[in-house]
Amino acid sequence: QHFEGHASEFIAAGDSVLIRLRHHVEKHTRGWHLYEQIDKWTGKQTNARDLSWSYAEVLSALRERDIAWQLLERDTENHLEQSSLLL
């Protein structure tokens, strides 16, 4: 079985993870600190605070999201241009 959705649905799924992370960071920390883990029962961030890879992962996700949107917009524009040539 394979995914038959649109690329924007993948982006939306990633956005939901980032939104959930933001919720936990805002609710359970002061100063927007990231911890190593989020407790699955309480939602509180636990273990090591301010690990560089926690921030790197968020920044990487945001960068990849921007790239995905740029590619999606470019492909959409190309598709529209090709469609207009057929008219």
Side-chain angles (χ1 to χ4, degrees), residues 24-72:
H24 288 288
V25 170
E26 285 179 334
K27 184 175 181 178
H28 297 292
T29 66
R30 291 187 179 145
W32 289 86
H33 296 281
L34 287 175
Y35 286 70
E36 185 179 17
Q37 297 178 349
I38 296 173
D39 185 279
K40 69 180 179 179
W41 302 111
T42 66
K44 185 176 179 183
Q45 294 193 85
T46 63
N47 292 337
R49 178 178 147 176
D50 292 332
L51 292 173
S52 59
W53 66 70
S54 297
Y55 295 101
E57 289 298 322
V58 172
L59 293 173
S60 293
L62 292 171
R63 185 190 72 228
E64 293 299 325
R65 180 190 185 281
D66 286 343
I67 291 169
W69 269 118
Q70 289 172 13
L71 291 172
L72 183 60

